[in-house]
Amino acid sequence: QVQLVESGGGLVQAGGSLRLSCAASGGTVRSRAMGWFRRAPGRQREFVTAVTASGGATDYIASVKGRFSISRDNAKSTVFLQMNSLKPEDTAVYYCAVGRYAGSTRTESAYDYWGQGTQVTVSS
């Protein structure tokens, strides 16, 4: 059973940066895609970004493209989310997840393991 622990969330002013980390344990994730989702207050959880098992390809939603960057270190079973130029609308609980397959997907049901979430709050 894979366990995921996110860290790096916090309070930041608009225009600032944060770097989220998600460390996996209890199983191998190097053959699976990994992704980040978020749930803003009063909204459903949404896909943000994902990276393939090899790290060779990434996918971003339009609202974060050019500001966020996902990467992974398979030797450390860790995925990162670098968030720059943060906006108040980025405020949410951010979750990392491990996909079922090597290729990335935006489909929530294709992710088998989830972290507990880390709060990101961007003040205006």
Side-chain angles (χ1 to χ4, degrees):
Q1 183 81 1
V2 174
Q3 294 183 327
L4 302 173
V5 178
E6 299 107 333
S7 60
L11 173 64
V12 64
Q13 288 189 331
S17 298
L18 283 174
R19 188 185 194 219
L20 305 184
S21 299
C22 173
S25 63
T28 182
V29 298
R30 63 179 63 226
S31 62
R32 298 171 178 245
M34 296 187 75
W36 288 94
F37 290 72
R38 67 185 179 187
R39 177 180 280 136
R43 301 185 65 178
Q44 290 187 329
R45 186 161 60 186
E46 66 169 349
F47 170 84
V48 177
T49 179
V51 60
T52 56
S54 68
T58 56
D59 182 27
Y60 300 91
I61 55 173
S63 61
V64 308
K65 209 165 189 177
R67 299 188 298 121
F68 289 12
S69 177
I70 188 172
S71 60
R72 65 188 294 165
D73 183 341
N74 281 339
K76 297 182 179 179
S77 298
T78 301
V79 65
F80 305 96
L81 181 62
Q82 178 68 42
M83 305 186 292
N84 300 326
S85 303
L86 282 161
K87 304 176 181 180
E89 51 263 43
D90 294 318
T91 295
V93 177
Y94 283 72
Y95 301 87
C96 71
V98 177
R100 192 168 304 135
Y101 309 109
S104 66
T105 176
R106 297 186 175 197
T107 305
E108 197 168 313
S109 61
Y111 288 83
D112 290 331
Y113 303 103
W114 294 83
Q116 81 288 351
T118 185
Q119 177 71 46
V120 171
T121 303
V122 185
S123 64
S124 57

